[in-house]
Each structure stands twice: as C-alpha cells, then as structure tokens.
Amino acid sequence: MARLPGLDVVSINHLLQDAGIRGKKSFSYICTNKNSHAPLTIHDSSLAAHEIFMRRCIDLAALSAGKVAPNPMVGAVLVHDNRIIGEGHHQYYGGPHAEVNCIDSVNQNDRDLIPESVFYVSLEPCSHFGKTPPCADLIIKNNIEKVVIGSRDPFIEVNGKGIEKLRAAGIEMITGVLENECRELNKRFFTFHIEHRPYIVLKWAQSQNGKIAATPTSSGFSSKRSSFGDVQNKRFYISNEYTNRLVHKWRSEEASILVGTNTALMDDPDLTNRYWPGKSPVRLVVDMDLKLPAGLKMFNDSKSYTIIFNSRQHELPDFTIPMTSAGIGFYQVTHDVSLVQQMVHALYQLKIQSVLIEGGAKLLQAFIDEGLWDEARIITNTGLHVPDGLASPLLNNHTLVREDEVMSDQIHYFANHLHNVHLTS
C-alpha cells in the first residue's frame, strides 16, 4: 500500500487548532512538501501529544465515510520519537483494516523502528477472524510495546477482547483518548450496536414560511399524465442546486434512504446520490397496499436495491451485507402495530446501520412523535414563500448544533438531546 501524502503547513495548523494549541510558541514541527511521502515530526513535551496523534487517526478514518459500512471507520498512526512513520485507514468494506494499512505503509528504512514505536488507533483493534485476521494479533506479531486507543469497540465480537489480548501480551495500553470524538465519528456504528437500531437522520426542505410542499392549487404547481396512465404532479423544488448536491453527499454517507407513499407518487424520486461520488443507499418506501405505479424510477433502474414496506407480501433475498445488487424486495408489516417501530426493527434485522428519512411530512412527523431520530437537517429557502402549502413537521426534544448558509438556503442541524451516543456534530 502506498503511503498517504505528508501534511502541508495549512493542514498541520488546522490539526493544531482543533487540538486547541495554535499559536503556542513552545510548539514546533517539521513538515515536508505535501506531495512527498516523508513523515511528519512533532516536538513538544508540554503538550498532549496523544491527542494530536489521535486527532490524526480521526482525520484519516473520516476519509472512508460511506465506503466501509457496516464496518466502522478507523484510522491508525505509528509514531516513533514523536515522528509519524506510518499511517493508514480502513478504505473499503472487506479490505485491509487501518492497522494493516498503517504498518504496511512504513518505509523500508523505518521498519526496524516499528517495535519501539507507539501505535495509535481510533477504535479498539479487532480480536476475531472476520473477513480479515485479527488486528490485535498483527500488533503483537510486530512486537509493538505501546498502544493508544481512542474508543472501545461495542461490537459483541470485540467489546474489550482486543484490549484484553494486547494487555495479556504485555503491551502498555492507554485508552479513552479523544473518546467522545472517536464515538462521534462512528455514531452510526455505535447506535446500531448499543441501541440495536439504525442511526436515524431526518431531512426536509421548507419555504421561509414553513411549508414543505406545494398543494395542487399553489402557484407554479402543475400535473401531467405519465406513460403508464396515472396523473403525476410536477415536482416542486425548494432548495437550490448547490444545496441539492450537499444532500447527495448526505445520501452517500447513509446506508439507506426512506420516503413515504405520497412522496414516491408525487415526486417520483431516484433516491440516489448521482450528484456525488460513492455508493447509493438502499432505497426504502412505504406502500402499505402495494398501489404505487410499477413505472416509478426506483422500481425500474439498477442503481440501488429497493425495499417496499407493505402489508401484503414478504419476499427478500438472502443478502450478502452490504446490499450491493439491484432489484426489489418486499418487507411485510402490519396495521395494528407502530409502523415506525416495525421499520426500525426491520432495518436492524437487515443490518442496515443508518437511514436518511426524506419525507413526506406525515412520515417525518411519525418518527419525531415516537422520539426515534438522532439528527434533523432542515433546509430553509429564505427567498421562497408558499402561501397555501403543506406545513413542515414540528421537532421536539431538539438542540441546535450548527447553522450553514448556501446562497438563499439556510441549513439548521439539530440533535435529539434525549440520545447521547453522539455528543457533537
């Protein structure tokens, strides 16, 4: 594996600012050109060096967002005498783990230094055989004497066993360095394995007067007859084209995307991330009586798998996780039990770790009312007024964590303060 390029001065300053130490005169560093493969050296005995190197692990791990699920994102750094001699991250599902890539990245001239180095990793090394051998065994094999871990792995096959194995081998262990940040990075993974449900993100766009959609009598609303005979309404766009691309980035980061019956019928959405690189999420749609037209886009392309929650039919293939094939599956639910609870349970059983819920208003409100959501991302077009449109959902138990602005769109990010698996945004 080729080494990741060295950091430039700008990125180092950003790293130090995140650690709260920008501008401290006691700090010095050596960094080669960003296009080289020379290692980074940090000199300062008065600073929390463990946090600096762990933050680098987190930055590396974040490079794999949307690429490794259902595995967690993990970054690793190997440090000798405050000099990074190796680094790596888990790059794709089924591929080598961060620990393997980190050790493999060490230059030949530095390989003799591996046993004397400190190994930093954002998540507890695995101790079991899965698609790859145990990473704890790899660390032991390389005679590394000290390991610093960001967070314990909640997966039942690990969950402290990796730490125990390393300690039993006589390796000095430091755990819990930037633990909250490491947990936040893998909030989907932690929610799935601790709360036994997917991480749930709500998203909607609204006008400046709080309308999520136009009605058939609204200005600019029109309808047409589709090729398969039913009347379709022209989609009413609220957010701008730049924000739409951001939404496609959000889609690429989640395992699945869910819409209700009316949204599927009125908008006929693709529900893909065609405007952003990466794998599209599994598409989920509610159609209790299987009345949606067969000609909808999500039923007729090979871009992603589609699952229909309905009350009449249950037919799902034996998936190899993650779901990579196209096609349509049917998951049967009932009318006499909470649909929200049934869908959340279904996604857990299908090992789908996260879901982005994009509408409509009734479906979004159902998740809000049952308290089953972790984040809400609300896009408001400040230049659009819809006098007789459909009202947006109403959040409760929410805390504003961030605001962004993209031209005429304001984006507000909320967290459900009743859930504490993730602590920041």
Side-chain angles (χ1 to χ4, degrees):
M1 170 192 162
R3 280 217 46 190
L4 292 173
L7 299 170
D8 61 8
V9 172
V10 173
S11 58
I12 287 295
N13 277 333
H14 176 69
L15 183 67
L16 302 183
Q17 184 182 42
D18 285 347
I21 56 179
R22 172 179 274 193
K24 293 196 176 183
K25 294 182 180 179
S26 60
F27 189 87
S28 63
Y29 57 84
I30 301 171
C31 184
T32 60
N33 184 279
K34 66 183 290 186
N35 294 319
S36 76
H37 296 287
L40 164 72
T41 303
I42 293 179
H43 300 291
D44 196 305
S45 58
S46 66
L47 299 172
H50 290 330
E51 292 191 0
I52 294 172
F53 293 120
M54 187 58 67
R55 201 167 295 280
R56 178 59 179 163
C57 292
I58 293 171
D59 288 345
L60 289 167
L63 296 174
S64 61
K67 302 173 184 175
V68 298
N71 285 352
M73 296 176 282
V74 183
V77 170
L78 194 61
V79 179
H80 181 267
D81 194 21
N82 285 332
R83 180 170 68 94
I84 293 178
I85 64 171
E87 59 182 24
H89 66 286
H90 184 30
Q91 298 179 5
Y92 59 92
Y93 178 74
H97 287 188
E99 296 90 335
V100 176
N101 288 334
C102 177
I103 291 176
D104 286 351
S105 75
V106 178
N107 290 330
Q108 192 60 42
N109 292 340
D110 288 330
R111 297 202 70 83
D112 289 344
L113 303 177
I114 292 177
E116 305 167 14
S117 300
V118 180
F119 196 93
Y120 293 83
V121 61
S122 57
L123 192 70
E124 175 184 4
C126 62
S127 55
H128 66 292
F129 282 89
K131 288 186 175 294
T132 61
C135 292
D137 290 354
L138 177 67
I139 293 171
I140 295 169
K141 178 182 177 181
N142 280 273
N143 299 311
I144 296 171
E145 298 179 353
K146 186 173 183 178
V147 175
V148 180
I149 294 173
S151 176
R152 184 167 169 155
D153 187 337
F155 180 44
I156 191 170
E157 294 291 341
V158 185
N159 198 16
K161 299 182 182 70
I163 294 172
E164 292 173 4
K165 177 176 276 193
L166 295 174
R167 281 190 175 137
I171 296 173
E172 180 184 352
M173 301 292 301
I174 298 177
T175 61
V177 176
L178 296 184
E179 182 174 12
N180 288 344
E181 289 87 340
C182 292
R183 288 169 64 94
E184 167 68 14
L185 174 72
N186 282 303
K187 54 196 174 186
R188 297 160 182 83
F189 182 78
F190 275 83
T191 298
F192 187 83
H193 289 288
I194 292 175
E195 298 192 15
H196 307 293
R197 65 167 177 83
Y199 189 84
I200 301 169
V201 181
L202 311 179
K203 171 264 169 183
W204 71 82
Q206 62 185 19
S207 64
Q208 56 90 9
N209 63 322
K211 304 300 182 183
I212 195 173
T215 62
T217 58
S218 297
S219 175
F221 190 95
S222 64
S223 63
K224 63 180 180 179
R225 187 163 298 277
S226 73
S227 59
F228 41 89
D230 66 310
V231 174
Q232 284 190 306
N233 295 304
K234 184 177 180 180
R235 190 168 181 179
F236 188 82
Y237 289 96
I238 295 178
S239 53
N240 64 53
E241 60 183 271
Y242 299 100
T243 306
N244 286 341
R245 279 154 178 76
L246 176 61
V247 171
H248 281 238
K249 176 180 182 293
W250 295 345
R251 290 178 178 180
S252 74
E253 296 169 347
E254 307 306 335
S256 65
I257 182 170
L258 171 65
V259 296
T261 308
N262 288 337
T263 298
L265 182 62
M266 303 290 282
D267 293 349
D268 191 14
D270 285 281
L271 299 183
T272 63
N273 51 283
R274 59 196 178 279
Y275 297 139
W276 196 266
K279 179 177 173 286
S280 290
V282 174
R283 295 177 292 204
L284 312 169
V285 61
V286 178
D287 183 13
M288 293 298 286
D289 298 318
L290 295 178
K291 291 183 177 180
L292 283 174
L296 293 179
K297 293 175 185 175
M298 71 175 75
F299 300 151
N300 289 278
D301 63 40
S302 58
K303 298 173 183 176
S304 183
Y305 198 83
T306 301
I307 297 176
I308 304 172
F309 290 108
N310 72 97
S311 63
R312 301 190 175 189
Q313 182 178 352
H314 190 86
E315 183 180 341
L316 287 171
D318 184 15
F319 288 113
T320 299
I321 302 298
M323 299 177 188
T324 56
S325 60
I328 300 174
F330 299 86
Y331 197 103
Q332 190 171 20
V333 292
T334 64
H335 288 279
D336 59 339
V337 180
S338 162
L339 176 60
V340 168
Q341 296 284 353
Q342 290 181 84
M343 290 190 294
V344 167
H345 176 73
L347 296 183
Y348 180 73
Q349 294 299 317
L350 293 170
K351 297 182 171 59
I352 295 176
Q353 289 188 359
S354 66
V355 57
L356 177 65
I357 303 174
E358 290 206 9
K362 183 178 179 180
L363 182 63
L364 287 161
Q365 194 66 56
F367 276 85
I368 294 169
D369 291 345
E370 298 216 23
L372 277 170
W373 65 279
D374 297 283
E375 292 183 40
R377 302 167 186 176
I378 303 176
I379 303 164
T380 303
N381 185 336
T382 58
L384 177 65
H385 183 86
V386 182
D388 54 352
L390 180 65
S392 301
L394 295 176
L395 276 181
N396 53 45
N397 300 317
H398 58 285
T399 301
L400 178 65
V401 294
R402 197 171 95 229
E403 297 181 47
D404 288 335
E405 190 168 318
V406 182
M407 299 180 68
S408 61
D409 290 346
Q410 290 182 346
I411 307 174
H412 294 82
Y413 299 79
F414 297 93
N416 187 336
H417 61 65
L418 298 182
H419 298 161
N420 58 10
V421 170
H422 61 288
L423 303 175
T424 59
S425 178

